Amino acid sequence: MDKTSASNIPDSFKLSDEEKRQKIRELKEKGNQAHREGNFKRASRIYYNSIMYIKALSVNCPDILGLDSLLNSSEASGKEKTVLDADTKVLICDCYNNLAACMLKEPVPKYERIVEYCNKALEMSPSNTKALFRKGLSLYSLGKYEEGLDALSKAPSSDSQVRKYTELCKSEIARQDKELASRFKDMFKSR
């Protein structure tokens, strides 16, 4: 690689995996502080930056974010993959989950993107209660009641918000079923 192309590589790709993990931890803490202060827009930016380091980390371990399919077999065979330790998985889960939480507080939440981030969190921690709830709430808001109910059913029902959105999803599914039954009934009425 010549000097000009090396200078175009973002700093996040030049760091070792441990340096990237440390940077992610630092950004997560800064994001948490901004969130505690109620500065959700700033917190979102910081969490998003942490995800850029996560993606840079995935250059060294392409399997962490499902990037294996992007690499052809000759490239994949030449790269040594890093196995993620439990702490790194928690860190990745937290960053995606915290970004989703901030985005839910926006005046007009981008629910599709929130679902994507929750799915990334759930890849690292499939039973993460907060990610399941945020995904379920977002799917409900998108009118995807069955999918929302599925996500919410995996979260602990002891949480009042989980119960609330579970009932809202069930209510909307019942309403849709009733509406559909009525349409079919009218369709087959004899004239």
Side-chain angles (χ1 to χ4, degrees):
M1 186 180 292
D2 64 24
K3 287 183 180 182
T4 57
S5 59
S7 66
N8 293 331
I9 298 172
D11 289 339
S12 60
F13 285 83
K14 295 176 185 176
L15 302 174
S16 71
D17 282 350
E18 189 47 48
E19 290 170 321
K20 291 171 193 172
R21 282 191 270 284
Q22 184 56 40
K23 187 69 175 169
I24 295 164
R25 284 184 205 97
E26 290 169 12
L27 288 167
K28 178 186 165 224
E29 285 309 311
K30 286 180 183 177
N32 291 351
Q33 182 60 38
H35 189 275
R36 281 190 293 275
E37 293 168 356
N39 192 341
F40 304 117
K41 190 172 188 170
R42 182 171 183 268
S44 288
R45 276 194 311 273
I46 294 168
Y47 291 132
Y48 183 78
N49 286 335
S50 73
I51 289 169
M52 293 299 99
Y53 280 92
I54 290 169
K55 289 182 178 186
L57 180 66
S58 70
V59 167
N60 297 330
C61 39
D63 56 322
I64 75 168
L65 297 174
L67 298 177
D68 278 336
S69 61
L70 298 178
L71 299 173
N72 69 37
S73 58
S74 64
E75 289 176 318
S77 63
K79 293 189 183 272
E80 187 176 316
K81 295 182 184 177
T82 304
V83 176
L84 288 176
D85 59 68
D87 289 340
T88 302
K89 286 183 178 184
V90 169
L91 185 61
I92 292 169
C93 177
D94 288 349
C95 289
Y96 277 106
N97 211 358
N98 293 352
L99 179 55
C102 289
M103 291 178 71
L104 279 170
K105 295 180 190 241
E106 292 177 358
V108 180
K110 296 177 182 93
Y111 293 113
E112 293 91 358
R113 183 62 55 109
I114 294 167
V115 170
E116 287 176 33
Y117 291 149
C118 289
N119 284 338
K120 292 292 186 188
L122 292 166
E123 284 177 27
M124 297 295 122
S125 176
S127 60
N128 186 284
T129 301
K130 291 177 182 178
L132 288 166
F133 169 70
R134 292 174 182 139
K135 179 180 178 178
L137 175 131
S138 296
L139 289 165
Y140 169 81
S141 298
L142 290 168
K144 298 180 178 183
Y145 308 117
E146 301 260 351
E147 291 176 58
L149 183 60
D150 182 55
L152 292 165
S153 70
K154 296 173 186 166
S157 60
S158 58
D159 183 289
S160 63
Q161 290 294 317
V162 170
R163 285 194 312 270
K164 173 185 173 184
Y165 281 94
T166 297
E167 289 307 313
L168 287 170
C169 284
K170 287 178 180 179
S171 175
E172 285 300 318
I173 292 168
R175 184 191 59 74
Q176 287 177 339
D177 288 348
K178 186 176 179 181
E179 193 176 282
L180 189 60
S182 176
R183 283 188 197 157
F184 277 122
K185 183 180 173 185
D186 291 343
M187 199 185 215
F188 293 109
K189 267 186 181 174
S190 55
R191 294 181 184 208

